[in-house]
Amino acid sequence: MQRYFIHFCYDGTRYHGWQIQPSANTVQQELQHALSTILRTPLEIVGAGRTDTGVHARHMVAHFDMTDDFETLTADQSGDLAYKLNRMLPRDISVYKIEPVSNDMHARFSALARTYHYYIHTEKNPFRRDYSCEMHYDLDFTLMNEAASHLLRVDDFAAFCKTHTDVKTTLCQVTEAQWLKDSPTEYHFRITANRFLRNMVRAVVGTLIDVGRHRITLEDFDRIVEGKRRTEAGESMPAKALFLERVEY
């Protein structure tokens, strides 16, 4: 068997997330169907992680395996396969490249870090409405960044995990969390961790927004994190403004 990594991106607007689900259109379903059709054999692809309904990815990775009797995908042939996939896939999914990797590499378990961006804008902008959250509050970004820095000093993120999920642990190692200014009216929150819980980033952003609006204090923020109860944290922000930015190996 030979293992291959697929590097790709997608606009998640039309999809019920990454993972295949009954009676729902998903990114994994589209990619797996296209790949199996082109290679004329049923294939299963494994992604670097899940993204929820409506969430986008600028860089996602998945792997698939081919048997030894399959004609080896050289660099040129891998490029040709990527080209064929892009011809077959819908417009909102695009493959960057396909590369052979060692068989012990795993798209999900070998990933060292994942980075997400969450975008907001503070003035009406018709060109941002589909991929950024419009907000009209006076936000204290200095205070929001101070609160965000506290995330680097904790390891249990149960307060930001969607309830009633099958997650075995709520422990994560966050190595970066900060708000960055892109223009006078546009900002994004950048967060990197070894793993993320379901709905975690949108819940973190919602709670940081509460800090920025002075609805809760830094002490309140710490208490929420330490309390480990989702009901105490802020609202889950809209999915349309969240992007999986990068997966690192």
Side-chain angles (χ1 to χ4, degrees):
M1 300 292 288
Q2 172 63 58
R3 178 157 292 178
Y4 296 88
F5 269 17
I6 310 175
H7 299 261
F8 59 103
C9 63
Y10 55 86
D11 178 335
T13 303
R14 296 193 308 118
Y15 299 100
H16 290 263
W18 157 256
Q19 191 171 19
I20 288 178
Q21 303 174 37
S23 305
N25 190 26
T26 68
V27 179
Q28 184 183 19
Q29 175 185 338
E30 292 281 358
L31 187 58
Q32 191 164 286
H33 172 72
L35 188 64
S36 298
T37 300
I38 292 172
L39 297 179
R40 299 181 181 179
T41 185
L43 289 172
E44 180 179 352
I45 60 175
V46 178
R50 302 176 183 179
T51 54
D52 292 336
T53 298
V55 175
H56 319 290
R58 283 201 176 90
H59 178 220
M60 178 62 140
V61 180
H63 77 246
F64 68 97
D65 297 325
M66 288 300 299
T67 57
D68 292 334
D69 59 357
F70 179 75
E71 181 181 2
T72 302
L73 286 170
T74 64
D76 289 342
Q77 290 166 330
S78 296
D80 185 55
L81 178 57
Y83 172 79
K84 290 179 179 178
L85 276 172
N86 282 328
R87 291 290 300 270
M88 174 171 275
L89 287 166
R91 287 183 172 183
D92 46 17
I93 303 175
S94 179
V95 173
Y96 294 131
K97 67 176 180 178
I98 300 173
E99 60 179 351
V101 297
S102 61
N103 287 352
D104 61 350
M105 288 291 289
H106 192 283
R108 178 182 176 188
F109 299 122
S110 298
L112 300 176
R114 298 157 174 87
T115 297
Y116 279 89
H117 285 184
Y118 193 91
Y119 293 87
I120 67 172
H121 56 286
T122 58
E123 287 185 1
K124 185 177 180 181
N125 185 335
F127 304 108
R128 297 289 291 163
R129 69 184 188 275
D130 292 331
Y131 303 103
S132 177
C133 184
E134 186 173 325
M135 309 202 72
H136 297 286
Y137 306 116
D138 290 326
L139 296 175
D140 186 338
F141 284 96
T142 299
L143 198 62
M144 289 159 67
N145 270 331
E146 188 172 348
S149 70
H150 293 189
L151 300 176
L152 277 62
R153 302 196 290 269
V154 299
D155 56 11
D156 195 328
F157 289 83
F160 306 112
C161 180
K162 188 171 184 177
T163 56
H164 307 301
T165 61
D166 57 357
V167 64
K168 295 180 180 179
T169 176
T170 54
L171 299 180
C172 306
Q173 183 181 0
V174 173
T175 55
E176 181 182 13
Q178 62 176 324
W179 286 92
L180 299 168
K181 187 173 184 177
D182 302 319
S183 79
T185 60
E186 298 174 335
Y187 304 81
H188 75 271
F189 177 63
R190 177 183 177 90
I191 183 168
T192 300
N194 63 329
R195 64 189 293 266
F196 286 90
L197 308 172
R198 188 175 179 186
N199 206 54
M200 175 175 159
V201 180
R202 288 189 285 153
V204 167
V205 171
T207 312
L208 290 174
I209 293 294
D210 284 343
V211 173
R213 294 177 62 189
H214 296 159
R215 297 180 69 184
I216 62 174
T217 65
L218 290 175
E219 291 74 19
D220 292 331
F221 183 82
D222 287 341
R223 177 183 52 78
I224 289 168
V225 175
E226 292 168 4
K228 304 177 185 178
R229 291 188 298 272
R230 178 65 187 93
T231 54
E232 298 296 319
E235 67 174 305
S236 178
M237 300 294 286
K240 66 177 183 178
L242 182 60
F243 287 73
L244 173 59
E245 192 73 16
R246 186 175 73 249
V247 183
E248 299 175 65
Y249 293 88

